[in-house]
Amino acid sequence: GALGRHAGSPWPWRGLQAAPATPAEDPGPGGDVAGILTAAWARRGDPSWASRFEAQLSRLLAPASVDADVELFLPQIGHLIVSLPPDSPYASALERFALLACERNVHLALQLSWVVYAALEDSAPQGPRADPRVFARCSRLLAHIEQAVVYGARIAYTQRRESLRKGLVTAAEALRAYGQRGSRAV
């Protein structure tokens, strides 16, 4: 899916891109954030639904007005990211979605960091509900939220500039090869 393209990237949320909606991707009644999250929780054990879930999250990134809906369900999104197993495709997709939303909206980033920090405190090793897996995941997620806010726009600019540079180099090589073929024909 769209999320797997940048799996080796140091910025794991960069692979998710806004995608246009298609009728086949509609999650059913309440095809909004609530419907998508409810369906993700209900189907969390079904890996065959992961690509459809990714497509629905990608569709949510397209309109800027979705930020209010995402903000309303941010505690649930944070809880799902932290609660689902780390190897779950749903947790990975939700994390990337949340980080892209944080990159786009600092207010969302601040609120998500509060939710994740609360989970971090709850699962601290010296606490009564110590959970090293959740603690490590929250620590990593807090670092990624910070990276999304601080470096997100710069990373996108750098990637576009690098893509343009590669395209220009490829075009120059093609023109050079064309010129060499043309000079041999004369």
Side-chain angles (χ1 to χ4, degrees):
L3 297 176
R5 287 193 300 246
H6 298 285
S9 169
W11 315 107
W13 62 91
R14 300 301 302 174
L16 189 62
Q17 301 297 323
T22 62
E25 294 172 344
D26 185 20
D32 54 353
V33 177
I36 292 170
L37 292 177
T38 302
W41 184 254
R43 296 177 177 155
R44 67 187 179 276
D46 180 11
S48 67
W49 196 72
S51 63
R52 187 169 167 204
F53 178 63
E54 291 173 12
Q56 291 171 355
L57 288 176
S58 295
R59 192 180 73 220
L60 284 178
L61 286 174
S65 63
V66 81
D67 287 350
D69 292 336
V70 171
E71 181 179 357
L72 181 65
F73 291 99
L74 209 53
Q76 291 84 352
I77 291 171
H79 177 73
L80 280 172
I81 292 169
V82 171
S83 298
L84 289 170
D87 59 346
S88 165
Y90 299 105
S92 177
L94 265 174
E95 184 175 334
R96 289 183 177 130
F97 169 76
L99 290 170
L100 281 170
C102 289
E103 183 179 306
R104 194 167 85 181
N105 185 326
V106 176
H107 182 74
L108 289 177
L110 181 60
Q111 288 191 337
L112 182 61
S113 67
W114 288 339
V115 169
V116 174
Y117 190 77
L120 178 86
E121 288 290 317
D122 286 346
S123 63
Q126 64 274 23
R129 294 184 284 179
D131 187 343
R133 180 191 65 81
V134 172
F135 187 81
R137 185 161 176 91
C138 290
S139 298
R140 183 180 53 79
L141 186 55
L142 284 170
H144 284 167
I145 292 169
E146 181 180 340
Q147 290 172 352
V149 171
V150 174
Y151 302 113
R154 194 177 97 211
I155 292 167
Y157 171 76
T158 303
Q159 286 178 340
R160 282 192 301 270
R161 187 183 66 210
E162 184 62 22
S163 176
L164 178 60
R165 188 192 64 76
K166 286 180 181 177
L168 290 173
V169 167
T170 303
E173 289 171 354
L175 286 172
R176 194 173 312 120
Y178 179 76
Q180 289 174 350
R181 276 188 287 164
S183 64
R184 283 188 230 146
V186 176

